[in-house]
Amino acid sequence: MKQTLLLFLCSIVSVYAQENGAVLGHITSEGAPLAYVNVYLENTSIGTTTNEDGQFKIENIPYGTHTIVASFTGFKTKRQTINLNKPSISVLFDLNENESLDEIVVSGTLKPVSRKDSPVPVEVYSPAFLKKNPTPNIFDALQNVNGVRPQLNCNVCNTGDIHINGLEGPYTLVLIDGMPIVSGLSTVYGLSGIPNALIEQIEIIKGPASSLYGSEAVGGLINVITKSAENTSKFSADAFLTSWGELNVDLGYKANIGEKTAMLLGVNYYNYNNPIDNNNDNFTDVTLQNRVSLFQKWNFKRSSNKAFSLAGRAFYEDRWGGEMQWNPSYRGGNEVYGESIYTKRFELLGNYELPVSENIVLQFSYTNHDQNSVYGDVPYLAQQRIGFSQLTWYKTLNTHDLLFGAATKYTYYDDNTPATRQADEVVIPSLFIQDNITINNNNTLLLGSRLDYDSRHGIIFTPRVAYRFKSDSESIFRINAGTGFRVVNLFTEEHAALTGSRDVIIENELKPERSYNINLNYLKTFYTKQHQIITVDASAWYTYFTNVILPDYDTNPNQIIYDNLDGYAVTTGVSANIDMMFTNGLKVMLGATYQDVSKTEAGITQDQILTENFSGTWSISYTFYNPKIAIDYTGNIYGPMRLPLLGDLDPREPYSPVWSIQNIQATYAFSNFELYGGIKNLLNWTPNKGNPFIIARANDPFDKDVEFDNDGNVIATPDNPYALTFDPSYVYAPNQGRRIFLGLRYRLN
């Protein structure tokens, strides 16, 4: 009996052993062994890493067909399908280095080209970059992009804009899939509510791009490109919660409807409903928000294989900030101060390639933005509608890659303020042409020009020229020069006019701003013998502005005065990005910018307000491959910037200190899940440190106890020794301290 039982157990062990085997392998690159390569069975947690000789062994693999994946930072991922039907088999991988300049970009020339072939320098940021520091919106995600700074413009409602190379937000054009649906009133809101899971990449151009995109692209542009419905996961989910009570949820779903239609649905929900006052001024440190956004994109397959897609987004947000005891019953009254903003907007955009033999594409977009706001007892009711259509014709003749375009932009804006006596409605038609000339394999010249007609200002001409020289496959030198212009929509650009007691003064009829720019760029990629990759991307720029319109906070502390500058403004600087990828799983991204942004009037030169003279960003990531855990340490640092004071007696610091926001995160990947968590604002830095207060007269937000003289100037009294009025515009950084976050991602391919 014992012998029978022993034979039975041995047979079970034998059968079990025969049903499992091992994979032995060797991984190289150009014949040299690669150490620390991540090797695993696709869609499982079974895997290992290569040793110093590039060898690996995965055991206890069930018999059958499997896909072996070899993945390594800096190299293109490879897959190999095997049929394991014996105790062990051997495989060989030879990985190719991942060309960091192979990304396809469209923002520089309006045509898909390899990043290294674009005569205009374009920076590209992938979803992997966004994951290093998860945020509830793109606005916050840009804080770790070198030379780009999300600027808060109000301590109470936390609205803001995007600064590029020190220029104010109105100089930055924000696009979604190449369409200018985010501008003016809707900038900060348009950058919220786009699910990060649906973003293919973010392209950033620093410097004027008005010859292709018209007004608002004076300082640069940000193009948020969403994924195609055909090339994304079937389902994705990403949710995180912070110790402050913030909840953010992103959902993505793809469905094929018939054989020729693919639909992509995205949902973003954000909620923060936990008033916190850590600086004890009786005002919320962070605006409370309840936001939902629905995004849908349709891709249609046509028999001609020409492109056709439609996308739309609906957005609703209820945000408020103010005194801690505020609730909606106080909305619009003068008992308890609050800033309450109800925002409704929808967007539609499309891309249609005409059914003709030539490459002619029609693009169009429309956005409707409705805002119902109150700032204390001041109502602000505004509507903005933007319609845009563009027809482009791409034609190649010998060495000339030609682009002809015609565009029309319709803008409608109206509000209930004295600054807008009647609705602003204008149609601006445009014509543009571009010739990208291939001189030889190493030299490319781009010539472009644009004509815009504005009934208020006449014809506006904006030319540009770009030259690219490639000394070898990894060294690229670019020079860009051109002009830019900006037609001003005044009131939407200065939120401080609403949130305090300053009056808006318009001295004269405002003329369009003009800029003249030159930009030098050098990009070099180094490949070491140890298979390390180092990329250096350095730029220097100079921009000269005429007719510049800047808010004057200094002449009269109780006013914001607007006029065309009787002089000029200049921004000049240098920046550099260094990306390093090491074979041991370490990746380092460093960025630094030094800039001088000033205005000169009546022979007096002064630093531009709310502009830092230096900044830096970094991202340090390390991946452990077994188990697969990634550590990300990200941060930024900013130099001093001049701040808006209310007068000579104002005790707040006239310049901000050097400040830094730093974050750390750990991510554990298993199966189709990613569990992540960490700490934001490790240093617990907030702008109230070193200042007696941030919000002026927070104890008297309706200025009930402020005394004025006959000229309207504030009188210093025992209750108001600094002669101040209520003003929350002294803001340059987030007022949110340290917090812990925890999140989970899921992806079904």
Side-chain angles (χ1 to χ4, degrees), residues 184-185 384 411 413 420 424 486-493:
L185 176 68
Q384 180 173 286
T411 302
Y413 175 78
T420 308
D424 182 20
R486 185 171 72 94
V487 177
V488 178
N489 186 345
L490 172 66
F491 195 74
T492 64
E493 298 169 12

Side-chain angles (χ1 to χ4, degrees), residues 621-691:
S621 304
Y622 185 81
T623 302
F624 301 89
Y625 288 108
N626 194 15
K628 191 174 183 180
I629 297 176
I631 306 295
D632 296 296
Y633 170 51
T634 59
N636 51 52
I637 186 170
Y638 297 101
M641 61 186 77
R642 191 165 69 91
L643 303 174
L645 299 180
L646 290 180
D648 294 336
L649 298 178
D650 195 329
R652 295 173 294 182
E653 294 294 328
Y655 280 83
S656 66
V658 176
W659 56 282
S660 175
I661 301 292
Q662 302 175 27
N663 320 284
I664 192 165
Q665 173 187 254
T667 304
Y668 171 55
F670 58 100
S671 187
N672 293 335
F673 292 88
E674 287 183 348
L675 177 66
Y676 61 93
I679 303 174
K680 290 182 178 290
N681 196 356
L682 276 168
L683 304 181
N684 198 30
W685 185 89
T686 53
N688 61 290
K689 296 181 179 179
N691 269 304

